[in-house]
Amino acid sequence: MFNIPLHSFYLIVLVGVLLVSGSLISYRLQQRHPDKDYTELRQRVQSWWMMIGILFAALLFNQTLAVAFFGLISFLALKEFLSIVPTRQNDRRVIFWAYLAIPLQYYWVGTGWYGMFIIFIPIYIFLLLPIRMVLLGDTRGFIHSAGILHWATMLTVYCISHIAYLLMLPVQNEAAGYIGPVLFLLFMTQFNDVCQYIWGKMLGRHKIIPKVSPNKTWEGFIGGVVSITLISGLIGPLLTPLLWWESLIAGVLISVSGFFGDVVISSVKRDLRIKDTGSLIPGHGGILDRMDSLMFTAPLFFHFLFYSHY
Amino acid sequence: MDRLIKVLFFALLVKPVVLLLLGLNVRGRNNLPKKGPAIVIANHNSHLDTLVLLSLFPLSMIHKVRPVAAADYFLGNGGFLAWVALKCIGIIPLDRSGGADREVLFSGCTQALSEGDILVLFPEGSRGKPEQLSRLKKGVYYLIKERADIPVVPTMLHGLGRALPKGEALLVPFNCDVVIGENLTERDTAAGFMNSATASFQRLSEYCITLSSNDSADDKTV
């Protein structure tokens, strides 16, 4: 059960080291500046421990539990999304059916039925939701609701389920095991957020999309893309079936799409005039605040890997 | 025995449902009374309101938190509903028929307060339309008129009217806002107290992040 493939084990150790240093830095900062309030930083680091602990436990236990875990993430994300966007009171009956798509979608993933997994939401749910809406008979705001519901389901169920399907791909890199590609995607995506943030803090001058996100700069973006591409080229061959040059491409893909995932959810929040999408994760905000980049990187990385090696 | 039933009911059923199926965005948790006597007043849109409010309290004191609820609705037909209301939730029944005078009407409430309980009251009287605040009734004022020591904590709930509205049996998961305000100290006259409560609810609703089409983004900033 817990015989972790060597390369995946190394990555888990690396993440552990990063977490410990995060905790030490946050502790040191508070010691050095006792007058400042570092509560949010401390909460942020503590939440990282929680999230990573739960994630590793689910991933290492077995494939089925890991798939179900991402199903739960989809549920929490869809719920959070539909709670902050405006829908009509009547739509709750349609939303109920959108929730039912989650167990089905993850059932297709868990049984490895690729053909169904890939069309279930873009076709069947896409057609089912407006059918249920028509049966309710309320035409005021119909287009608006149909659009919101389908977009929400695509982002939070379809996109996130691609992470889970990575677990079901036949293992090609024995040293990484079935968790290798997932660890690679999650680590590169989250580390991309960190890199873009750090480069932006250090060198940031020229704003990239000031209307959406005033803190995002060209320097942060380019710094992030370069670092992630290089790191990806190094660890991609260890954790995935990708060759070194394919891993470089995967790095560019993850870094650029991760940036866009982040700013797309930022735009949603700007539109609704809220700061966080929820308060599930102390110091981070809601689950969408954490999953924003992943919803974009997961399907793109999945299909790059799937096309080039399966 | 009754305390055990209530603790089990909340530990095994209510708290997990509130955590997973609903999910709360709680603001101002520090304002929640830590001991009785105290009164929590909230807006009322759903049966879930009571359960959500009670679930905010730790299990160790949950038996001291008593919602005030309509006797005709919950106890009228006896049976299972009445058993849940009395044993699992521990309501203080309130007669809405309007016959009795105030002293008799509120005797259950004043007794609970004198025993150091925390009352949960819905001054709108009934659940009303989803996510809209109806006029507040003055009953609460009668309870605290001569008791300046009893804090009255206003709590704004939002989103539960979508999860389980009046007249619906299907619970649809939604995140909900719970915004807890500060003790209402304006108590000179009934009208003054009620106005400060209404104003407080309006202020608290600005911290809500869940939206439905009833309240468009424009209303929110007013």
Side-chain angles (χ1 to χ4, degrees):
Chain A
M1 192 164 66
F2 285 117
N3 41 13
I4 309 167
L6 198 60
H7 292 171
S8 294
F9 178 72
Y10 288 149
L11 188 87
I12 291 171
V13 172
L14 173 66
V15 170
V17 170
L18 288 174
L19 277 179
V20 171
S21 18
S23 292
L24 283 178
I25 291 172
S26 126
Y27 178 74
R28 271 285 194 66
L29 275 173
Q30 186 70 80
Q31 294 286 305
R32 208 173 290 172
H33 309 278
D35 45 320
K36 279 195 203 159
D37 185 19
Y38 285 102
T39 313
E40 193 175 331
L41 179 69
R42 199 173 56 239
Q43 281 182 340
R44 227 180 142 83
V45 176
Q46 274 170 2
S47 295
W48 270 123
W49 277 101
M50 281 294 285
M51 286 188 287
I52 289 171
I54 295 171
L55 172 77
F56 283 172
L59 283 179
L60 294 175
F61 193 78
N62 66 31
Q63 267 160 306
T64 313
L65 186 80
V67 169
F69 171 73
F70 287 108
L72 177 67
I73 302 265
S74 273
F75 168 71
L76 295 173
L78 179 62
K79 176 160 66 79
E80 194 169 278
F81 195 101
L82 293 174
S83 302
I84 55 172
V85 294
T87 53
R88 305 170 300 174
Q89 185 70 21
N90 258 338
D91 290 332
R92 57 193 299 283
R93 296 189 165 272
V94 188
I95 289 169
F96 180 76
W97 287 94
Y99 282 124
L100 288 187
I102 299 173
L104 283 172
Q105 173 72 355
Y106 283 87
Y107 178 72
W108 316 137
V109 173
T111 52
W113 187 0
Y114 180 78
M116 193 55 154
F117 152 76
I118 213 70
I119 64 164
F120 178 63
I121 288 171
I123 295 184
Y124 292 108
I125 295 299
F126 176 65
L127 299 178
L128 174 80
L129 294 181
I131 290 174
R132 184 68 190 92
M133 287 174 67
V134 164
L135 295 176
L136 285 171
D138 185 1
T139 51
R140 258 193 70 200
F142 188 95
I143 306 172
H144 184 246
S145 285
I148 281 185
L149 291 180
H150 193 246
W151 197 44
T153 320
M154 283 296 284
L155 273 179
T156 59
V157 186
Y158 190 63
C159 289
I160 293 177
S161 68
H162 282 75
I163 310 175
Y165 208 93
L166 284 173
L167 295 161
M168 303 306 298
L169 294 175
V171 175
Q172 289 185 3
N173 185 343
E174 291 293 341
Y178 69 88
I179 58 173
V182 176
L183 287 178
F184 176 76
L185 169 71
L186 297 178
F187 179 75
M188 294 319 284
T189 306
Q190 300 304 336
F191 201 58
N192 177 47
D193 286 0
V194 176
C195 284
Q196 300 208 359
Y197 175 79
I198 291 176
W199 283 110
K201 274 270 167 191
M202 287 194 326
L203 303 174
R205 288 253 188 309
H206 304 89
K207 295 196 188 324
I208 185 162
I209 27 171
K211 278 186 185 163
V212 179
S213 200
N215 297 325
K216 296 265 187 296
T217 58
W218 275 106
E219 290 81 359
F221 174 69
I222 293 169
V225 172
V226 172
S227 337
I228 290 304
T229 305
L230 292 178
I231 300 170
S232 176
L234 279 177
I235 67 173
L238 300 175
L239 286 173
T240 70
L242 298 173
L243 306 172
W244 68 268
W245 61 272
E246 292 170 324
S247 300
L248 291 178
I249 301 175
V252 177
L253 209 56
I254 288 175
S255 188
V256 173
S257 58
F259 169 82
F260 281 110
D262 187 340
V263 290
V264 163
I265 295 301
S266 294
S267 305
V268 169
K269 290 190 284 186
R270 289 244 145 191
D271 190 10
L272 298 167
R273 288 181 243 169
I274 55 179
K275 195 176 145 276
D276 290 330
T277 56
S279 55
L280 186 69
I281 316 174
H284 295 250
I287 195 151
L288 287 172
D289 293 310
R290 198 62 277 146
M291 298 299 289
D292 50 5
S293 330
L294 265 172
M295 293 187 294
F296 274 56
T297 59
L300 292 174
F301 171 72
F302 176 87
H303 287 295
F304 177 70
L305 178 68
F306 196 72
Y307 179 74
S308 56
H309 282 265
Y310 289 91
Chain B
M1 184 61 194
D2 283 4
R3 180 177 172 183
L4 182 69
I5 294 177
K6 188 167 178 178
V7 168
L8 287 179
F9 180 70
F10 276 87
L12 302 179
L13 188 67
V14 177
K15 289 210 175 203
V17 165
V18 168
L19 182 73
L20 268 182
L21 280 188
L22 293 175
L24 304 181
N25 301 314
V26 185
R27 261 143 232 239
R29 194 185 271 274
N30 292 337
N31 294 332
L32 213 61
K34 282 160 197 75
K35 58 178 178 45
I39 298 177
V40 174
I41 58 171
N43 58 322
H44 201 16
N45 291 116
S46 166
H47 280 320
L48 295 173
D49 293 341
T50 315
L51 299 176
V52 163
L53 278 172
L54 264 65
S55 79
L56 296 174
F57 290 90
L59 288 173
S60 59
M61 61 185 290
I62 206 149
H63 65 291
K64 299 292 279 177
V65 189
R66 313 275 311 272
V68 179
D72 52 298
Y73 187 96
F74 288 99
L75 308 184
N77 299 322
F80 185 63
L81 183 64
W83 184 80
V84 170
L86 289 174
K87 298 287 175 186
C88 300
I89 304 179
I91 66 163
I92 298 174
L94 187 77
D95 177 14
R96 286 195 296 192
S97 58
D101 69 45
R102 273 183 179 166
E103 209 162 314
V104 181
L105 192 63
F106 288 121
S107 59
C109 299
T110 42
Q111 193 198 338
L113 284 173
S114 66
E115 285 165 9
D117 288 355
I118 298 173
L119 295 193
V120 174
L121 275 160
F122 299 102
E124 285 170 284
S126 89
R127 284 170 289 163
K129 284 206 187 122
E131 315 298 354
Q132 285 175 25
L133 193 65
S134 325
R135 247 176 68 86
L136 303 183
K137 297 192 195 311
K138 279 185 270 201
V140 192
Y141 183 72
Y142 177 80
L143 286 176
I144 49 104
K145 197 165 50 175
E146 277 145 26
R147 297 290 305 270
D149 58 310
I150 298 182
V152 178
V153 177
T155 302
M156 182 76 198
L157 303 169
H158 195 275
L160 293 158
R162 264 200 299 181
L164 186 69
K166 194 174 183 172
E168 296 268 357
L170 178 74
L171 192 159
V172 177
F174 281 105
N175 283 356
C176 304
D177 288 303
V178 181
V179 192
I180 304 151
E182 286 170 2
N183 178 19
L184 298 171
T185 48
E186 161 71 55
R187 300 184 180 184
D188 297 338
T189 62
F193 174 74
M194 295 326 290
N195 284 342
S196 81
T198 312
S200 172
F201 277 120
Q202 251 142 27
R203 242 187 349 267
L204 297 177
S205 72
E206 284 167 28
Y207 292 95
C208 293
I209 60 174
T210 62
L211 270 176
S212 63
S213 58
N214 292 331
D215 25 41
S216 71
D218 295 315
D219 297 341
K220 235 182 104 179
T221 52
V222 173

